[in-house]
Amino acid sequence: MPNFNEIDASIVEIARVSNQMEAELLQQVLAEEGIVSMVKPSGAGHGFASPALVEHALLVRSDQAPLAREVVDAFSAEEDDDTFATADPTLDDVDPA
């Protein structure tokens, strides 16, 4: 897999997420598609909060940005669809009362 140094391309931000865990999840999704990415924390940082809890930017090479945006959008839409799904389908019909 090529890295940032092997190709002469600028680096662009394709997404901002609310914390480090979300950023690293998207970074893994991009890696599975062969897209090289970096995660950069933003905001106040160490002085006011853990870097893991601040907003993070997801950065990719400009030549991979269109595909990366598609991958992130598709993954985000898929995650939104699964928000209320249960891990065990037999629990869908259980009355919580």
Side-chain angles (χ1 to χ4, degrees):
M1 177 184 319
N3 65 37
F4 280 99
N5 297 326
E6 292 177 355
I7 297 175
D8 186 25
S10 61
I11 297 172
V12 297
E13 181 179 317
I14 59 157
R16 275 192 185 261
V17 294
S18 60
N19 58 52
Q20 183 177 356
M21 187 171 72
E22 288 180 46
E24 290 177 355
L25 175 62
L26 288 175
Q27 189 176 32
Q28 179 62 37
V29 169
L30 291 172
E32 290 172 2
E33 296 295 325
I35 300 170
V36 179
S37 65
M38 293 189 311
V39 171
K40 180 182 173 189
S42 58
H46 300 307
F48 298 98
S50 166
L53 302 177
V54 298
E55 189 174 65
H56 280 62
L58 192 60
L59 308 167
V60 300
R61 295 187 337 231
S62 59
D63 62 320
Q64 292 186 320
L67 177 58
R69 285 185 182 104
E70 285 181 35
V71 170
V72 168
D73 289 346
F75 180 79
S76 297
E78 184 178 304
E79 285 296 302
D80 289 343
D81 289 345
D82 292 339
T83 301
F84 297 105
T86 58
D88 184 351
T90 60
L91 296 178
D92 288 337
D93 297 325
V94 174
D95 184 10

